[in-house]
Amino acid sequence: MKVLVVGSGGREHALACTLLKSPNVEQVFCTPGNGGTATTEGCKNIPLPVEDFERIADTIKENDISLVVVGPELPLSIGIADYLQSQNISVFGPTKAGAQIESSKTWAKDLMNDAGVPTATSETFTKAEAAKAYLSEQSAPIVIKADGLAAGKGVIVAQTLEEATEAIDFLFSQGFSKVLVEEFLVGEEVSVLALCDGVTVVPLLPSQDHKRIGEGDTGKNTGGMGAYAPAPVATPEIMKRVESEILQPTVKALQQRGIDYRGVLYAGLMITPEGEPKVLEYNCRFGDPETQAVLPLLETPLDELLLACTEQKLARQPPLKWKQGSAVCVIAASGGYPDAYQKGYPIANIDTATAAGAIVFHAGTSIEREQLLTSGGRVLGVTAVGENFKEAIAKAYRAINGIEFEGIYYRRDIGHRVS
Ligand code: AMP
Ligand code: GLY
């Protein structure tokens, strides 16, 4: 079988490598892909923008591709799955209507409230004045969120009401038409990526990412500086509750809205000190970098699972098989990220990292004149699997320590909560 992975990040390289482990997958195309997917055996890049649905569909037909896996939220939120389905192409990823679970926080909140899913209480406003009036009756800390895709920049956790007021003005000034004021939840965050075929929902191992740039989880928010799985905070008892109180009611509520959701339902959860899972956000796709930590532990062939989702046959799948042990992914970023950074620097010693037993997933890399160069903020995701977290962390750091490019930055404390 030939598969097309849409996207160009570390998540997409991890999806491609995992799919290639299956005996049924003969080739993986990536559009547009990156330096990793360009150099992985069995993988081939097709340099098309993810928004160019027509040319993507032509490529799929020309190359006899039988399954498309969409990585990022943007093409999903503008209807890539709808378009490809209309061309009779099997696609793993929700339709535009389903992707609203991520593209509109107010839509997602309404869905959660209708489904009775535990989440922070919130109010939505279309005018700054009304939001501020509501704020004056609340107490800090409090969370201010933009409605709409904001590439991680639409959420402000305000420590004071003054900061919250500024956040409201800031988000409206950025052109967002709706802003949410939300209750601040305390606890530990967990990502649950669940496979969904429109009816049945099957969670993968829980994981945790490190969103902040600085050690000790401080500083600016990023796309994610590292991840680990399985996250011990999500115990089997909590995962049972996640399935029955969150995932299943959500899929039912989607069905009630006429949405046949076939893709990843990603629940960003807060586990409260009382051990109750509450939803912070939904995403309509695999997490990045959680995918780079979760998939190396999966033993069931990924293509079988994704096909079962597109064919609505997930209920017939045997239980997922997982490797025993732990996985840790450490992101190597360009100096300056998440602010401005330079690109185009040569990358050295990936082979040494691989020889040290790590898997190096590429994110922001490209090949130019046969030279591997940095081309993004997050450059590489160095993943290691070990018998336990201590071993996985040591292995990942041994590997990443040898990698070189100008300005390389990575956190030295990924997995600090579990080591
Ligand atoms: P979101 O994009 O909604 O996941 O928000 C980004 C980050 O903001 C989350 O990963 C949390 O760290 C934090 N956050 C969002 N909502 C809340 C909340 N209601 N209470 C506490 N922290 C939150
Ligand atoms: N790691 C967070 C995300 O994928 O949105």
Short mmCIF file of all heavy atoms in Angstrom, two decimals, residues 340-375:
data_model
loop_
_atom_site.label_atom_id
_atom_site.label_comp_id
_atom_site.label_asym_id
_atom_site.label_seq_id
_atom_site.Cartn_x
_atom_site.Cartn_y
_atom_site.Cartn_z
N ALA A 340 12.31 35.47 16.85
CA ALA A 340 13.01 35.38 15.56
C ALA A 340 14.27 34.52 15.67
O ALA A 340 14.92 34.50 16.72
CB ALA A 340 13.39 36.79 15.11
N TYR A 341 14.57 33.78 14.62
CA TYR A 341 15.77 32.92 14.61
C TYR A 341 16.31 32.86 13.18
O TYR A 341 15.60 33.16 12.22
CB TYR A 341 15.42 31.51 15.12
CG TYR A 341 14.28 30.88 14.37
CD1 TYR A 341 14.49 30.22 13.16
CD2 TYR A 341 12.96 30.98 14.84
CE1 TYR A 341 13.43 29.68 12.45
CE2 TYR A 341 11.90 30.44 14.14
CZ TYR A 341 12.15 29.79 12.95
OH TYR A 341 11.11 29.27 12.23
N GLN A 342 17.57 32.45 13.08
CA GLN A 342 18.22 32.28 11.76
C GLN A 342 17.99 30.85 11.28
O GLN A 342 17.86 29.94 12.08
CB GLN A 342 19.73 32.50 11.90
CG GLN A 342 20.13 33.87 12.41
CD GLN A 342 19.88 34.95 11.38
OE1 GLN A 342 20.11 34.76 10.19
NE2 GLN A 342 19.38 36.10 11.84
N LYS A 343 17.99 30.69 9.95
CA LYS A 343 17.91 29.33 9.40
C LYS A 343 19.03 29.12 8.38
O LYS A 343 19.75 30.06 8.06
CB LYS A 343 16.60 29.07 8.65
CG LYS A 343 15.43 29.89 9.01
CD LYS A 343 14.21 29.37 8.28
CE LYS A 343 13.40 30.53 7.71
NZ LYS A 343 12.06 30.14 7.34
N GLY A 344 19.12 27.90 7.89
CA GLY A 344 20.09 27.61 6.83
C GLY A 344 21.42 27.12 7.36
O GLY A 344 22.40 27.06 6.62
N TYR A 345 21.50 26.75 8.65
CA TYR A 345 22.76 26.24 9.21
C TYR A 345 22.88 24.73 8.98
O TYR A 345 21.91 23.99 9.16
CB TYR A 345 22.81 26.49 10.72
CG TYR A 345 22.86 27.95 11.10
CD1 TYR A 345 21.92 28.51 11.95
CD2 TYR A 345 23.89 28.77 10.61
CE1 TYR A 345 21.97 29.85 12.31
CE2 TYR A 345 23.94 30.11 10.97
CZ TYR A 345 22.99 30.64 11.81
OH TYR A 345 23.04 31.96 12.16
N PRO A 346 24.10 24.28 8.62
CA PRO A 346 24.31 22.83 8.44
C PRO A 346 24.15 22.06 9.75
O PRO A 346 24.50 22.57 10.82
CB PRO A 346 25.77 22.72 7.96
CG PRO A 346 26.16 24.10 7.54
CD PRO A 346 25.29 25.06 8.29
N ILE A 347 23.60 20.86 9.66
CA ILE A 347 23.37 20.01 10.85
C ILE A 347 24.34 18.82 10.78
O ILE A 347 24.42 18.16 9.73
CB ILE A 347 21.92 19.47 10.86
CG1 ILE A 347 20.92 20.64 10.78
CG2 ILE A 347 21.65 18.62 12.10
CD1 ILE A 347 19.48 20.21 10.55
N ALA A 348 25.05 18.57 11.89
CA ALA A 348 26.04 17.47 11.89
C ALA A 348 25.73 16.44 12.98
O ALA A 348 25.10 16.77 13.98
CB ALA A 348 27.44 18.04 12.10
N ASN A 349 26.16 15.23 12.72
CA ASN A 349 26.20 14.13 13.71
C ASN A 349 24.85 13.48 14.01
O ASN A 349 24.68 12.90 15.08
CB ASN A 349 26.84 14.58 15.04
CG ASN A 349 28.26 15.02 14.85
OD1 ASN A 349 28.87 14.66 13.86
ND2 ASN A 349 28.78 15.80 15.79
N ILE A 350 23.94 13.55 13.06
CA ILE A 350 22.68 12.80 13.26
C ILE A 350 22.99 11.30 13.31
O ILE A 350 22.40 10.56 14.10
CB ILE A 350 21.66 13.15 12.16
CG1 ILE A 350 21.19 14.58 12.40
CG2 ILE A 350 20.50 12.18 12.16
CD1 ILE A 350 20.00 15.00 11.63
N ASP A 351 23.96 10.87 12.49
CA ASP A 351 24.31 9.44 12.46
C ASP A 351 24.80 8.97 13.82
O ASP A 351 24.49 7.86 14.26
CB ASP A 351 25.44 9.19 11.45
CG ASP A 351 24.96 9.42 10.04
OD1 ASP A 351 23.73 9.65 9.89
OD2 ASP A 351 25.78 9.37 9.12
N THR A 352 25.57 9.82 14.50
CA THR A 352 26.09 9.45 15.82
C THR A 352 24.93 9.29 16.80
O THR A 352 24.94 8.39 17.65
CB THR A 352 27.05 10.55 16.35
OG1 THR A 352 27.64 11.19 15.25
CG2 THR A 352 28.08 10.00 17.28
N ALA A 353 23.95 10.17 16.69
CA ALA A 353 22.78 10.10 17.58
C ALA A 353 22.01 8.80 17.32
O ALA A 353 21.57 8.13 18.26
CB ALA A 353 21.88 11.30 17.36
N THR A 354 21.87 8.45 16.08
CA THR A 354 21.16 7.22 15.73
C THR A 354 21.94 6.01 16.23
O THR A 354 21.36 5.06 16.76
CB THR A 354 20.95 7.13 14.20
OG1 THR A 354 20.60 8.43 13.74
CG2 THR A 354 19.86 6.18 13.82
N ALA A 355 23.28 6.08 16.09
CA ALA A 355 24.12 4.97 16.56
C ALA A 355 24.02 4.82 18.07
O ALA A 355 24.17 3.72 18.61
CB ALA A 355 25.56 5.20 16.13
N ALA A 356 23.72 5.92 18.77
CA ALA A 356 23.57 5.86 20.23
C ALA A 356 22.19 5.29 20.61
O ALA A 356 21.82 5.27 21.79
CB ALA A 356 23.76 7.24 20.84
N GLY A 357 21.43 4.87 19.63
CA GLY A 357 20.17 4.18 19.91
C GLY A 357 18.95 5.08 19.89
O GLY A 357 17.85 4.66 20.22
N ALA A 358 19.12 6.34 19.46
CA ALA A 358 17.97 7.26 19.42
C ALA A 358 17.33 7.24 18.03
O ALA A 358 17.95 6.79 17.06
CB ALA A 358 18.42 8.66 19.76
N ILE A 359 16.11 7.72 17.97
CA ILE A 359 15.44 7.91 16.68
C ILE A 359 15.41 9.42 16.49
O ILE A 359 14.95 10.15 17.38
CB ILE A 359 13.98 7.40 16.70
CG1 ILE A 359 13.89 6.05 17.41
CG2 ILE A 359 13.42 7.32 15.31
CD1 ILE A 359 12.45 5.67 17.77
N VAL A 360 15.92 9.89 15.36
CA VAL A 360 15.94 11.35 15.14
C VAL A 360 14.85 11.70 14.14
O VAL A 360 14.96 11.40 12.95
CB VAL A 360 17.33 11.80 14.66
CG1 VAL A 360 17.33 13.31 14.43
CG2 VAL A 360 18.40 11.42 15.67
N PHE A 361 13.79 12.32 14.66
CA PHE A 361 12.72 12.80 13.77
C PHE A 361 13.05 14.23 13.37
O PHE A 361 13.37 15.06 14.23
CB PHE A 361 11.37 12.75 14.48
CG PHE A 361 10.91 11.37 14.83
CD1 PHE A 361 10.63 11.01 16.15
CD2 PHE A 361 10.76 10.40 13.84
CE1 PHE A 361 10.21 9.74 16.49
CE2 PHE A 361 10.34 9.10 14.16
CZ PHE A 361 10.06 8.78 15.49
N HIS A 362 12.96 14.51 12.08
CA HIS A 362 13.22 15.86 11.61
C HIS A 362 11.96 16.69 11.67
O HIS A 362 10.87 16.19 11.40
CB HIS A 362 13.68 15.85 10.15
CG HIS A 362 15.00 15.18 9.92
ND1 HIS A 362 15.98 15.75 9.17
CD2 HIS A 362 15.49 13.99 10.36
CE1 HIS A 362 17.04 14.95 9.14
NE2 HIS A 362 16.75 13.87 9.85
N ALA A 363 12.10 17.96 12.02
CA ALA A 363 10.95 18.89 12.00
C ALA A 363 11.29 20.01 11.01
O ALA A 363 10.90 19.94 9.85
CB ALA A 363 10.68 19.40 13.40
N GLY A 364 12.08 21.02 11.45
CA GLY A 364 12.45 22.11 10.55
C GLY A 364 13.80 21.85 9.92
O GLY A 364 14.81 22.44 10.32
N THR A 365 13.83 20.95 8.94
CA THR A 365 15.09 20.71 8.20
C THR A 365 14.78 20.68 6.71
O THR A 365 13.65 20.39 6.31
CB THR A 365 15.76 19.36 8.56
OG1 THR A 365 15.00 18.30 7.97
CG2 THR A 365 15.88 19.16 10.06
N SER A 366 15.81 20.96 5.91
CA SER A 366 15.65 20.81 4.46
C SER A 366 16.98 20.35 3.89
O SER A 366 18.02 20.45 4.55
CB SER A 366 15.23 22.13 3.82
OG SER A 366 16.27 23.06 3.98
N ILE A 367 16.90 19.82 2.68
CA ILE A 367 18.12 19.38 2.00
C ILE A 367 18.39 20.37 0.88
O ILE A 367 17.52 20.60 0.03
CB ILE A 367 17.93 17.98 1.37
CG1 ILE A 367 17.50 16.97 2.42
CG2 ILE A 367 19.19 17.55 0.62
CD1 ILE A 367 18.61 16.29 3.16
N GLU A 368 19.55 20.96 0.89
CA GLU A 368 19.92 21.83 -0.22
C GLU A 368 21.32 21.48 -0.69
O GLU A 368 22.23 21.41 0.13
CB GLU A 368 19.82 23.29 0.18
CG GLU A 368 18.42 23.82 -0.16
CD GLU A 368 17.99 24.99 0.65
OE1 GLU A 368 18.71 25.99 0.61
OE2 GLU A 368 16.93 24.89 1.33
N ARG A 369 21.44 21.25 -1.96
CA ARG A 369 22.70 20.77 -2.55
C ARG A 369 23.29 19.63 -1.69
O ARG A 369 24.44 19.68 -1.28
CB ARG A 369 23.69 21.92 -2.74
CG ARG A 369 23.38 22.71 -4.01
CD ARG A 369 24.31 23.86 -4.26
NE ARG A 369 23.60 25.12 -4.08
CZ ARG A 369 23.74 25.93 -3.05
NH1 ARG A 369 24.58 25.64 -2.08
NH2 ARG A 369 23.05 27.05 -2.97
N GLU A 370 22.45 18.69 -1.41
CA GLU A 370 22.83 17.47 -0.66
C GLU A 370 23.30 17.74 0.76
O GLU A 370 23.86 16.87 1.43
CB GLU A 370 23.91 16.68 -1.42
CG GLU A 370 23.36 16.22 -2.75
CD GLU A 370 24.25 15.23 -3.47
OE1 GLU A 370 25.18 14.71 -2.86
OE2 GLU A 370 23.95 14.99 -4.64
N GLN A 371 23.04 18.92 1.24
CA GLN A 371 23.44 19.28 2.61
C GLN A 371 22.18 19.43 3.45
O GLN A 371 21.22 20.07 3.02
CB GLN A 371 24.22 20.60 2.53
CG GLN A 371 24.48 21.26 3.85
CD GLN A 371 25.70 20.68 4.57
OE1 GLN A 371 26.80 20.73 4.06
NE2 GLN A 371 25.48 20.12 5.73
N LEU A 372 22.20 18.83 4.66
CA LEU A 372 21.05 18.96 5.57
C LEU A 372 21.16 20.27 6.35
O LEU A 372 22.16 20.51 7.02
CB LEU A 372 21.03 17.77 6.53
CG LEU A 372 19.84 17.74 7.49
CD1 LEU A 372 18.53 17.44 6.76
CD2 LEU A 372 20.06 16.70 8.59
N LEU A 373 20.13 21.12 6.23
CA LEU A 373 20.17 22.45 6.84
C LEU A 373 18.99 22.66 7.77
O LEU A 373 17.93 22.05 7.61
CB LEU A 373 20.11 23.53 5.75
CG LEU A 373 21.20 23.51 4.67
CD1 LEU A 373 20.92 24.59 3.64
CD2 LEU A 373 22.58 23.69 5.27
N THR A 374 19.16 23.58 8.74
CA THR A 374 18.03 23.97 9.58
C THR A 374 17.09 24.84 8.74
O THR A 374 17.55 25.63 7.92
CB THR A 374 18.50 24.77 10.81
OG1 THR A 374 19.05 26.01 10.38
CG2 THR A 374 19.54 24.01 11.62
N SER A 375 15.79 24.68 8.94
CA SER A 375 14.85 25.48 8.16
C SER A 375 13.62 25.89 8.98
O SER A 375 12.63 26.35 8.42
CB SER A 375 14.39 24.71 6.92
OG SER A 375 13.61 23.61 7.31
#
